[in-house]
Amino acid sequence: MKSAEIRDAFLKFFESQGHTRVPSSSLVPADDPTLLFTNAGMNQFKDVFLGADKRPYTRAASSQRCVRAGGKHNDLENVGYTARHHTFFEMLGNFSFGDYFKRDAIRFAWQFLTAVLGLPPARLWVTVHVSDDEAAAIWMDEIGIDPARFSRLDEDNFWQMGDTGPCGPCSEIFYDHGEAVPGGPPGSDNDDLDRYIEIWNLVFMQYERQPDGELVPLPKPSVDTGMGLERIAAVMQGVHSNYEIDLFQHLLQAAVEVTGARDSNSKSLCVIADHIRSCAFLVADGVIPANEGRGYVLRRIIRRAIRHGHKLGQKKAFFHRLVAALAAEMGPAYPELVEQQARIEKVLLAEEEQFEKTLDKGMAVLEAALVDLKGTEIPGAVVFNLYDTYGFPADLTNDIARERGLTLDMGGYETCMEQQRARARAAGSFKVDYTASLNLEGDTDFLGYDSLAESGKVVALLSEQG
Ligand code: ATP
Ligand code: MG
Ligand code: MG
Ligand code: MG
């Protein structure tokens, strides 16, 4: 089954179960400063879950474009390293707003996977939250899941969209890709390897997380589910990695052509094919490269892609040339890509031309520093100099470091950044860098910039944070 057919089968199935088909919303969340980019299908329904907005339907289904490259859900560092993570992906979801709850959410999911898609139950593993006896009973007694493929987990089975907002316990369905792939079942020590891949998360929305951490019950228990289209496509197409599915074949081929790569198996090609999707869609949705906020995240992704092209030997601008292949592949589902192709190419090319000027020199500076390196940690001052003088975002430097088994001294980098801020303050300038709080563990402390637009406030906030 092609990806487009799976998307269609999903939406048709849920329509036949009384759900209204709702189009994907923009990657830039409307009026939500707590959220960097749309990271799940439920985002556009946040206020409906909270009881602050009403819709003419109580059941909905969508295929939502998502970007996870910052904020609470950040997979930027996973791209190129796992078989299952993208910065941009499509999330298939069905939603109940105070209509059905756990029983039907579980039944629908099982029916879709086993009856509509015809997946063998013996390949499917299920988890629920440790505290969730109700969901456990439905899986055991009504669905008849084999207890050998069932477990109760803690943090992994509690989902929230951000530090605040709707949340609740969840139940997840995994697909076993078979013995040939290393990795243990959900909940085991090595469950992060890619043998058992999470395909679908059923969230039982019950609470709203307050800024102080308190959980307040929602007006009505609801359901929010999310299944990655690329992951289920991999299962249906009998391949292990998302990058092997139909959607990626032309893109990867185009990446080989525009970079002139000699090794068509290089993981840099996957990184580039992934990044063109997030970058092109972000530009289509109105984001442009900038030094702060959402635009800086876009800039980081573009520069990362350029660096991978550089690594493959391409020293000229290539990234913008992939927009045509992407528009050909995804244009039927997302006509805005075709309509905006020329604009997207222009924005990406401008960024390529700008970074081209410093990339080579920055790489030379880094290589020279590595010759002198004692130990395996790149000093913070080097990371800072690359950032400040050569436009290398810290995560880009980290990407290079990781390829060579090295790490970054992020503490030292922060210190340099703070010193620069102090100098700027002393000079009476209020130029502020949001990226200072970049945390390589995967969380970018995104403060929400709508409310922070006034520089005075930002400085106050940043100095409170230390
Ligand atoms: P993982 O544990 O594999 O990182 P997750 O638990 O973070 O996934 P959820 O937040 O539960 O993912 O999102 C719902 C579904 O969206 C997942 O079950 C998966 O199918 C899909 N998904 C999540 N993150 C990605 C990603 N970065 N790329 C592709 N698909 C994803
Ligand atoms: Mg994740
Ligand atoms: Mg997970
Ligand atoms: Mg999950």
Side-chain angles (χ1 to χ4, degrees), residues 260-340:
R262 285 213 213 100
D263 171 10
S264 61
N265 289 319
S266 165
K267 85 177 187 348
S268 289
L269 293 166
C270 294
V271 175
I272 291 166
D274 171 85
H275 288 8
I276 191 60
R277 299 209 312 162
S278 49
C279 295
F281 274 95
L282 284 170
V283 175
D285 277 343
V287 183
I288 47 167
N291 279 333
E292 57 189 31
R294 293 182 173 123
Y296 191 62
V297 178
L298 172 60
R299 170 162 285 166
R300 282 164 48 203
I301 307 173
I302 299 174
R303 292 191 173 189
R304 238 164 161 268
I306 299 172
R307 205 282 300 178
H308 277 279
H310 199 263
K311 190 180 164 203
L312 292 170
Q314 180 53 280
K315 300 287 164 80
K316 296 208 189 81
F318 69 91
F319 195 48
H320 67 289
R321 292 173 58 203
L322 292 169
V323 180
L326 179 66
E329 188 67 47
M330 297 191 72
Y334 295 94
E336 60 267 44
L337 279 181
V338 181
E339 286 152 22
Q340 297 200 47

Side-chain angles (χ1 to χ4, degrees), residues 158-447:
F158 193 92
W159 195 88
Q160 45 196 77
M161 69 173 265
D163 293 330
T164 60
C167 56
C170 63
S171 178
E172 296 193 319
I173 304 171
F174 294 70
Y175 184 82
D176 177 4
H177 278 268
E179 276 168 13
V181 187
S188 66
D189 286 346
N190 56 354
D191 65 356
D192 207 42
L193 298 177
D194 283 330
R195 171 169 171 182
Y196 299 84
I197 290 190
E198 178 189 326
I199 51 173
W200 204 343
N201 188 356
L202 317 176
V203 185
F204 310 124
M205 286 292 185
Q206 274 170 288
Y207 308 104
E208 178 180 5
R209 172 89 63 190
Q210 302 294 320
D212 65 1
E214 196 199 338
L215 292 175
V216 176
L218 290 178
K220 290 179 185 160
S222 294
V223 168
D224 146 37
T225 87
M227 171 157 65
L229 174 64
E230 298 79 1
R231 292 190 191 183
I232 189 68
V235 169
M236 294 305 291
Q237 295 171 17
V239 294
H240 174 236
S241 162
N242 284 9
Y243 294 91
E244 294 173 75
I245 68 172
D246 59 338
L247 265 182
F248 273 98
Q249 293 324 299
H250 292 131
L251 268 188
L252 285 166
Q253 188 49 43
V256 171
E257 282 156 22
V258 299
T259 57
R262 285 213 213 100
D263 171 10
S264 61
N265 289 319
S266 165
K267 85 177 187 348
S268 289
L269 293 166
C270 294
V271 175
I272 291 166
D274 171 85
H275 288 8
I276 191 60
R277 299 209 312 162
S278 49
C279 295
F281 274 95
L282 284 170
V283 175
D285 277 343
V287 183
I288 47 167
N291 279 333
E292 57 189 31
R294 293 182 173 123
Y296 191 62
V297 178
L298 172 60
R299 170 162 285 166
R300 282 164 48 203
I301 307 173
I302 299 174
R303 292 191 173 189
R304 238 164 161 268
I306 299 172
R307 205 282 300 178
H308 277 279
H310 199 263
K311 190 180 164 203
L312 292 170
Q314 180 53 280
K315 300 287 164 80
K316 296 208 189 81
F318 69 91
F319 195 48
H320 67 289
R321 292 173 58 203
L322 292 169
V323 180
L326 179 66
E329 188 67 47
M330 297 191 72
Y334 295 94
E336 60 267 44
L337 279 181
V338 181
E339 286 152 22
Q340 297 200 47
Q341 183 180 333
R343 200 188 131 249
I344 300 167
E345 286 170 346
K346 215 170 127 196
V347 170
L348 297 182
L349 175 61
E351 184 68 14
E352 289 191 84
E353 285 173 339
Q354 192 180 337
F355 192 42
E356 217 169 59
K357 292 183 197 138
T358 55
L359 175 58
D360 260 335
K361 284 190 206 125
M363 285 305 295
V365 167
L366 178 57
E367 297 295 353
L370 294 185
V371 172
D372 296 335
L373 191 69
K374 294 180 187 67
T376 57
E377 193 178 64
I378 302 179
V382 173
V383 182
F384 179 75
N385 181 34
L386 285 170
Y387 160 79
D388 196 41
T389 310
Y390 301 99
F392 282 38
D395 64 293
L396 188 154
T397 306
N398 187 54
D399 192 39
I400 304 168
R402 188 169 165 189
E403 288 170 359
R404 303 175 188 204
L406 305 172
T407 56
L408 307 188
D409 170 17
M410 284 306 286
Y413 168 78
E414 295 286 349
T415 306
C416 295
M417 189 71 95
E418 185 44 48
Q419 285 163 353
Q420 192 196 48
R421 263 188 232 123
R423 281 194 300 275
R425 274 197 296 269
S429 151
F430 283 86
K431 190 168 170 286
V432 165
D433 187 355
Y434 289 77
T435 60
S437 46
L438 177 77
N439 163 352
L440 293 174
E441 297 310 316
D443 261 359
T444 307
D445 279 350
F446 180 72
L447 300 170

